[in-house]
Amino acid sequence: MTQYDLVIRNGQTVTDKEQIKQDVGIKDGKIVTLGDIAEQGTREIDADGLLILPGGIDAHCHIEQKSSSGIMTADDFYSGSVSAAFGGTTTILPFAAQHRGQSLRQVVDEYMACAEPKAVIDYGFHLIISDASDDIIGQELPAMIEDGITSFKIYMTYDDLKLDDYEILNVLAAARREQAMVMIHAENHDVIRWITEKLLDQGCGAPRYHAIAHAQIAEKEATHRAIALAELLDTPMLVVHVSSEAALNEIRRAQERGLKIYGETCPQYLFLTIDDLDKDGMDGAMFCCSPPPRDKQSQEAIWSGLIDGSFTVFSSDHAPYRYDSSGKLSAGAEPTFDKIANGVPGIEIRMPLLFSAGVTQGRMDIHRFVEVTATNAAKTYGLYPKKGTIAVGSDADLGLWDPEKQVEIKADDLHDNMDYSPYEGMIATGWPITVISRGRIVVEENELKVERGSGQYLKRERPEAAKPLEKLVKEMNPETNFNAKFI
Ligand code: DUC
Ligand code: ZN
Ligand code: ZN
């Protein structure tokens, strides 16, 4: 009997560090051999001319999630995970979102029950914490972290989600103690509220005003403040969905000072601009997300942060709301911008569009592409080296990419449950033609090959990246337990 369930031959394996022409031998869902393999596998794939990349990890997506204003995403765990897989992603980390009044255990149990029978690829959860009461932070959160949900998102804006600075400090202190990763949505709530009121008073309610209300200064100020709070307690933190140069520069400055501050950006900040929100009628609603796409200069700045290492992860922030009364237009046919469901889809195009505009067009090398789409997410969220790399002992999660295949993005061809794509008509050069998760062929010849519910839940480790800095640990003031240099 053969030692291998699957052997992939003649391809070039690519990790964040190296590209090697070698065979990949897979057994029981794991990579067991890399190198020349003489023996036949039960199944063989000829990957001549293809790049074999680690399966992508989408570390920020909203699936089967009810927004704080009660609108359900268009994708459930089946359509969301299928769409991810067709775009080369083999692991998703969506959110289990707490609404105020809910216990974290109840929230996680509900999301687990939704995902388990439907997901076709592996998945874990970040929590969203909207209630930072002592019980939640002191007792429930540590229990959830112990159970493998080792990261959580908090918000500085939205009436029903926002934490104030005092609450953020409590959350950061808990994360520090438990060594979990804090993700933060950094926008100044009152700035957005104030501008929104003024705009609406003047009758400026069209979708494009969403981008004006969510001013860059609101993102910059909140990013600066969040970093200051994290520094006070010496707590690692990741700023999600960064859209502007000003916010990026806050992150850069923190990193230059040696702080463990990480950043994430997303396709909408590389491929869309404020002009997209200014389409005829309500069509701009299809591009409303927070923070919003900015101008061309910001796009270039965000590209530079992705290329130079300032950003750690590139995630989709897939937040799919259809362009109808179930989603974008749930508040009526012509809602003002503040009533438009916030978010854009992108789980399937995340990797192909970045591959095309980044690697094919020569902006970034392929190793950096692997780093930001897979390896760094695994490291940041406690999945490495099980996920995010190609190594003996790692899960056999792989995308076989044809670097020359051209695909025109069309909503009709994507596998999510959306009725539009913000990226309609864009051409991607480079596409994953075979996608493998734990040795199972999930996508081949443009067909789904696995059953619903065949994805597995990932109980995650405490991330190495969430450990406070040794240097700062020594500087902590023993009486106050905060960073002594601020006294
Ligand atoms: N934050 C997200 O992470 N996604 C969509 C909208 C938002 O505010
Ligand atoms: Zn957010
Ligand atoms: Zn999001």
Side-chain angles (χ1 to χ4, degrees):
M1 203 177 79
T2 170
Q3 183 190 340
Y4 300 108
D5 300 327
L6 173 64
V7 177
I8 307 169
R9 298 188 191 277
N10 305 319
Q12 304 263 346
T13 63
V14 185
T15 64
D16 59 333
K17 303 231 161 33
E18 52 191 13
Q19 178 165 342
I20 307 173
K21 181 155 190 188
Q22 60 184 353
D23 304 331
V24 183
I26 296 166
K27 179 79 181 165
D28 295 333
K30 303 261 181 215
I31 297 170
V32 290
T33 305
L34 290 168
D36 289 338
I37 299 178
E39 205 180 321
Q40 282 279 117
T42 305
R43 172 117 204 235
E44 299 254 327
I45 293 179
D46 181 3
D48 190 23
L50 303 180
L51 299 171
I52 305 171
L53 307 190
I57 300 177
D58 193 342
H60 183 157
C61 46
H62 304 265
I63 297 181
E64 220 165 322
Q65 183 186 325
K66 210 181 244 177
S67 75
S68 58
S69 47
I71 307 168
M72 195 65 176
T73 55
D75 282 309
D76 67 6
F77 279 91
Y78 183 69
S79 60
S81 64
V82 169
S83 186
F86 272 89
T89 292
T90 52
T91 299
I92 48 174
L93 295 176
F95 294 92
Q98 180 202 36
H99 296 285
R100 287 184 184 147
Q102 287 183 302
S103 86
L104 298 182
R105 175 75 60 195
Q106 175 197 351
V107 171
V108 169
D109 286 351
E110 282 174 17
Y111 276 87
M112 293 271 201
C114 290
E116 203 239 12
K118 296 179 202 154
V120 301
I121 55 174
D122 294 353
Y123 58 93
F125 295 104
H126 313 285
L127 276 160
I128 285 175
I129 297 175
S130 59
D131 174 354
S133 57
D134 288 350
D135 269 7
I136 299 284
I137 300 306
Q139 281 148 41
E140 288 206 36
L141 184 59
M144 302 317 297
I145 294 168
E146 195 58 46
D147 281 2
I149 303 187
T150 55
S151 50
F152 48 88
K153 181 178 175 189
I154 55 174
Y155 287 75
M156 298 171 86
T157 186
Y158 296 121
D159 287 325
D160 297 326
L161 294 171
K162 130 182 219 305
L163 305 186
D164 63 27
D165 293 353
Y166 181 91
E167 292 169 319
I168 293 173
L169 284 169
N170 273 341
V171 168
L172 288 168
R176 179 179 204 284
R177 197 177 54 239
E178 304 295 332
Q179 301 197 348
M181 181 58 74
V182 179
M183 308 158 78
I184 194 154
H185 178 132
E187 287 187 289
N188 180 309
H189 183 70
D190 287 323
V191 169
I192 297 167
R193 189 160 72 104
W194 192 88
I195 304 176
T196 299
E197 273 174 25
K198 302 294 165 270
L199 287 167
L200 295 180
D201 281 352
Q202 294 169 57
C204 300
R208 67 179 288 259
Y209 293 106
H210 172 79
I212 294 173
H214 288 252
Q216 296 196 30
I217 196 91
E219 188 184 16
K220 172 186 153 78
E221 186 283 327
T223 303
H224 181 90
R225 181 160 38 102
I227 291 170
L229 300 177
E231 185 174 7
L232 180 68
L233 295 190
D234 175 28
T235 308
M237 184 181 74
L238 182 136
V239 184
V240 292
H241 49 49
V242 175
S243 71
S244 66
E245 181 168 22
L248 169 60
N249 284 341
E250 295 293 336
I251 292 167
R252 282 189 172 128
R253 272 195 286 278
Q255 291 171 347
E256 278 159 20
R257 286 189 294 118
L259 301 179
K260 282 190 158 193
I261 298 295
Y262 308 98
E264 171 201 77
T265 196
C266 316
Q268 51 269 39
Y269 309 119
L270 298 180
F271 301 108
L272 304 177
T273 67
I274 186 170
D275 291 344
D276 290 302
L277 280 78
D278 201 13
K279 296 240 176 350
D280 286 348
M282 287 306 295
D283 285 3
M286 292 187 275
F287 303 87
C288 284
C289 57
S290 295
R294 313 261 182 209
D295 55 12
K296 279 272 164 206
Q297 190 187 326
S298 305
Q299 268 190 347
E300 278 315 307
I302 297 298
W303 268 111
S304 80
L306 203 53
I307 293 160
D308 71 16
S310 306
F311 288 119
T312 301
V313 286
F314 182 71
S315 311
S316 70
D317 195 4
H318 182 71
Y321 299 107
R322 290 168 68 95
Y323 188 42
D324 64 21
S325 61
S326 72
K328 291 283 179 187
L329 307 179
S330 58
E334 286 191 23
T336 51
F337 66 84
D338 57 318
K339 302 280 187 312
I340 294 170
N342 232 319
V344 290
I347 204 164
E348 192 162 338
I349 56 77
R350 173 184 77 108
M351 295 181 77
L353 279 189
L354 186 67
F355 187 97
S356 182
V359 181
T360 310
Q361 290 181 28
R363 281 191 174 100
M364 65 170 51
D365 78 25
I366 188 130
H367 306 293
R368 179 73 185 140
F369 173 81
V370 168
E371 201 170 46
V372 294
T373 57
T375 314
N376 281 356
K379 289 180 176 168
T380 306
Y381 296 116
L383 288 171
Y384 190 82
K386 178 179 170 67
K387 305 287 189 190
T389 193
I390 298 177
V392 170
S394 294
D395 283 1
D397 288 2
L398 303 166
L400 275 49
W401 286 68
D402 176 348
E404 278 158 22
K405 181 170 169 152
Q406 287 204 331
V407 175
E408 182 180 342
I409 309 294
K410 293 186 196 152
D412 285 351
D413 295 343
L414 297 175
H415 298 80
D416 59 15
N417 196 23
M418 286 295 292
D419 53 356
Y420 77 92
S421 166
Y423 310 98
E424 188 79 23
M426 292 186 190
I427 310 275
T429 304
W431 201 272
I433 58 169
T434 302
V435 178
I436 297 168
S437 150
R438 278 181 288 102
R440 305 168 305 133
I441 295 172
V442 178
V443 174
E444 191 179 38
E445 291 176 356
N446 213 19
E447 275 184 32
L448 184 72
K449 299 286 185 187
V450 292
E451 297 297 312
R452 54 168 69 220
S454 56
Q456 286 183 357
Y457 171 67
L458 295 164
K459 180 174 172 181
R460 291 180 290 121
E461 304 290 328
R462 285 174 166 79
E464 195 57 33
K467 296 209 169 115
L469 288 166
E470 189 67 25
K471 169 171 91 67
L472 289 181
V473 171
K474 292 202 194 101
E475 286 170 10
M476 293 298 268
N477 180 297
E479 286 136 44
T480 56
N481 206 25
F482 72 66
N483 196 329
K485 81 178 183 197
F486 295 107
I487 297 171

